[in-house]
Amino acid sequence: MAANPLPVAPGAAGVEAMARPSSLDYYLLLPRQDERGPTTTVEGIVVEEFTRQHDYSTTGLDSAGWTPDSGWWSSASLSRALRRDPETLARVVPTSRRKAEGVYRTLAGGQLPDDTVLRTYFLDHQPIATAPPLRLGPAQPPSGFHERRVYRILFAKDLRAEQVTSLRAAWRTPVGSTSASAASGHLEKDGDHLTWDLRRVGHTLAWCLDVTVLLSTATADAVGSTLSDLTGVMRQHGLIPVTTERFS
């Protein structure tokens, strides 16, 4: 990969976030399959952060990687490879900041820099194309709500059958549901209603969460927090977020 060198306990609706005090996403970089051994379980760390519009849709991605021999470096091609290249996908595991700190301490013998410092290593921004929201579903929200939104959170990598079962249990998906989704859930917060459906995308190793939001409150705070929590749950199950699109 090219680089630029640098100087769960479910909630009320089964939404659980990966426990971490950081707003950044962390990943462990494993050695290539033919280079793995009993003492080389982790090769480095990757740190990422999405940039978003005010409606929480994705506009870009910043990332930085660290390995003991190269130090910190940044490359937009790294962000792309994490989501498109099968070999790279197989080497990346989502993790928490706490676990990343332990790996960094073991490999570097020091303290992992805080978020403010890590952001200074983001030197090669990866833009993500955006477009005005497409209108999917009815234009008018149901009675009692002033706005209806539809989001799709896209993820790379695959889920095992037992992981889907775990999500169904965490989100309390009704047994015998006839929905086309693999798992589904809902949340009611201060009068706002949010529902989501987990679906496989095409014939590739990709999944998505389709999230429908019905707003009755004056703010959209529940949207951002729920999208973030759902993304954290999927990362906890091994998937890598690609983008968040808004369809209405």
Side-chain angles (χ1 to χ4, degrees):
M1 293 176 285
N4 295 331
L6 298 181
V8 200
V15 180
E16 55 181 343
M18 181 174 288
R20 54 190 171 94
S22 172
S23 62
L24 306 180
D25 291 334
Y26 293 86
Y27 298 89
L28 300 182
L29 182 63
L30 309 180
R32 291 180 174 82
Q33 189 67 41
D34 59 355
E35 297 176 352
R36 296 179 189 178
T39 61
T40 56
T41 55
V42 179
E43 188 173 90
I45 297 169
V46 176
V47 183
E48 293 189 333
E49 184 174 40
F50 284 99
T51 55
R52 303 180 186 277
Q53 300 194 74
H54 69 279
D55 66 355
Y56 308 107
S57 59
T58 302
T59 60
L61 180 60
D62 291 300
S63 68
W66 176 87
T67 52
D69 56 342
S70 300
W72 287 100
W73 43 270
S74 179
S75 174
S77 64
L78 171 65
S79 299
R80 293 190 294 269
L82 292 186
R83 292 154 175 85
R84 300 178 184 177
D85 177 60
E87 181 180 342
T88 305
L89 273 170
R91 297 177 58 198
V92 177
V93 179
T95 192
S96 65
R97 175 174 173 98
R98 180 180 59 80
K99 291 183 179 179
E101 287 174 334
V103 169
Y104 189 83
R105 189 178 300 112
T106 299
L107 297 179
Q111 181 66 36
L112 182 69
D114 62 23
D115 288 6
T116 301
V117 175
L118 290 175
R119 288 188 177 95
T120 67
Y121 304 145
F122 295 159
L123 299 184
D124 194 6
H125 182 69
Q126 171 63 40
I128 297 177
T130 59
L134 299 173
R135 178 63 62 183
L136 295 183
Q140 296 299 321
S143 177
F145 300 95
H146 67 82
E147 186 178 0
R148 177 182 183 272
R149 299 184 184 184
V150 178
Y151 292 88
R152 169 166 287 185
I153 314 173
L154 184 64
F155 300 90
K157 299 192 80 167
D158 202 4
L159 289 170
R160 300 186 303 274
E162 62 268 26
Q163 291 175 310
V164 174
T165 300
S166 172
L167 288 167
R168 290 179 61 88
W171 293 339
R172 303 191 181 107
T173 302
V175 177
S177 172
T178 59
S179 170
S181 63
S184 61
H186 70 278
L187 175 68
E188 296 183 16
K189 186 174 182 180
D190 298 328
D192 297 332
H193 289 201
L194 301 97
T195 59
W196 55 90
D197 293 280
L198 175 67
R199 296 184 173 92
R200 184 183 291 278
V201 181
H203 301 289
T204 60
L205 298 182
W207 290 79
C208 73
L209 274 176
D210 288 336
V211 184
T212 300
V213 180
L214 298 176
L215 294 174
S216 65
T217 57
T219 68
D221 294 344
V223 178
S225 61
T226 302
L227 293 177
S228 177
D229 286 349
L230 288 170
T231 300
V233 172
M234 301 307 290
R235 290 187 70 252
Q236 214 169 28
H237 283 73
L239 298 190
I240 298 177
V242 176
T243 188
T244 300
E245 302 173 289
R246 183 179 170 187
F247 290 142
S248 66

